[in-house]
Amino acid sequence: MTSIPAIHSLRDGAVRAIRAVDLDIKTLLAQETARRWTARTLSLRSPLDAPVPDRPGRPEKPELIPPRQMPKRALTTDKGRIALLHAIAHIELNAVDLALDIVARFATEPVPNSFFDGWMKVAFEEAKHFRMVRDRLRQLGADYGDLPAHDGLWQAAHDTRNDLTARLAVVPLILEARGLDVTPALQAKMREAGDFESAAVLDVIYEDEKGHVAVGAKWFRFLCARQKKDPAAAFQALVRANFRGPLKAPFNDIARAEAGLTPSFYRSMTASVNT
């Protein structure tokens, strides 16, 4: 059994998990911190809390390369499916740290405790996703770190580190929502290739991600209401200021709407951001 360090508060547990280089310890810390916070056995903050790091802890592998240098993947081959699963594992690992970072970095924001409830549930589930995908990679004779990956997801966190509303606009409402758009096609392609085990992993991720986008949309709307701003207009302004590149169709309008992200937010911005 991997031992985890003492956790002094919610922010402390989140920071320790972000800093962890060992990915088993990172995911264990994320989930144990979530359990203790949900059970109300942790305070929100403590004088013993370490500062929030600018970058999460990572093992030596995978090598990080620019997104445009990532190779294309054909899902009709074992190597292609391994490459896709590796990319998903990297996304899920970043998602663990992104959920923890929004808790730790914004622990002094004047928001209800239910804000932190929601994001720790997200962190718990993202840790579950990472382990599921990594287990599937190992079943296929590979492991996380065997292939290169890109650093674009964490860059989005760094760019919005000083503005909670911007963070919510960019990470859950753009990056996580993108997962709702692309995952159904990947599920279908995995099944067409006969890889029902990988498809089943994607099924779990897809259903959970709807809830993650919903957490983002709920709190984005909450902050906009407090600031007396129209949510759709505020989203568009924040995206123009903080996101590089256009929003890419096709959109899974039904899943997005179920999560509280209606077309009024994003339809007018397709391929027109930062032009």
Side-chain angles (χ1 to χ4, degrees):
M1 178 68 182
T2 305
S3 62
I4 61 174
I7 301 169
H8 302 294
S9 71
L10 174 63
R11 182 168 59 182
D12 179 63
V15 168
R16 288 176 183 273
I18 295 167
R19 287 174 174 265
V21 173
D22 183 303
L23 301 184
D24 291 328
I25 291 176
K26 183 186 292 287
T27 52
L28 283 168
L29 263 172
Q31 292 193 323
E32 184 60 21
T33 302
R35 287 190 192 97
R36 294 187 194 180
W37 172 253
T38 301
R40 295 298 188 256
T41 60
L42 289 176
S43 62
L44 176 58
R45 301 182 299 273
S46 162
L48 300 173
D49 296 345
V52 184
D54 284 336
R55 294 193 60 81
R58 288 287 183 271
E60 290 184 6
K61 297 287 187 178
E63 176 191 4
L64 296 178
I65 62 176
R68 63 183 176 278
Q69 293 181 17
M70 291 293 293
K72 300 295 183 183
R73 304 177 288 267
L75 299 187
T76 51
T77 67
D78 288 346
K79 283 187 176 180
R81 289 192 293 280
I82 286 170
L84 173 68
L85 289 167
H86 191 278
I88 292 171
H90 186 66
I91 289 168
E92 298 301 326
L93 177 60
N94 274 278
V96 175
D97 286 316
L98 286 166
L100 294 167
D101 185 83
I102 203 171
V103 167
R105 192 169 301 278
F106 299 103
T108 56
E109 288 283 322
V111 291
N113 277 352
S114 52
F115 173 88
F116 302 104
D117 296 347
W119 287 112
M120 288 311 297
K121 182 174 188 289
V122 172
F124 186 98
E125 291 177 348
E126 302 290 18
K128 174 186 72 176
H129 297 168
F130 175 74
R131 287 205 294 260
M132 289 175 69
V133 180
R134 192 177 196 183
D135 287 347
R136 181 62 188 144
L137 278 170
R138 287 168 169 167
Q139 290 166 9
L140 294 170
D143 198 1
Y144 178 68
D146 288 352
L147 299 171
H150 73 79
D151 202 32
L153 288 169
W154 191 257
Q155 188 60 47
H158 184 74
D159 291 347
T160 56
R161 64 192 181 281
N162 297 318
D163 185 339
L164 176 56
T165 314
R167 169 68 63 87
L168 292 169
V170 171
V171 175
L173 301 190
I174 295 179
L175 300 178
E176 291 235 40
R178 186 68 183 146
L180 301 183
D181 302 334
V182 302
T183 303
L186 298 176
Q187 292 166 298
K189 287 178 181 177
M190 286 291 193
R191 289 192 169 88
E192 287 169 14
D195 190 345
F196 297 101
E197 294 87 351
S198 296
V201 171
L202 293 179
D203 291 346
V204 173
I205 291 173
Y206 179 66
E207 290 305 317
D208 286 348
E209 295 296 346
K210 292 179 187 176
H212 302 175
V213 177
V215 172
K218 170 186 174 179
W219 292 107
F220 184 80
R221 290 177 181 276
F222 171 88
L223 292 174
C224 287
R226 194 161 69 183
Q227 298 164 16
K228 296 182 169 55
K229 292 180 178 178
D230 175 74
F235 172 78
Q236 291 162 16
L238 287 163
V239 171
R240 289 191 178 96
N242 294 281
F243 188 69
R244 302 165 187 176
L247 305 190
K248 297 177 182 177
F251 300 111
N252 186 342
D253 289 326
I254 293 174
R256 283 168 169 254
E258 287 174 355
L261 186 59
T262 54
S264 62
F265 277 70
Y266 56 85
R267 276 287 175 190
S268 66
M269 304 195 73
T270 307
S272 66
V273 179
N274 294 349
T275 57

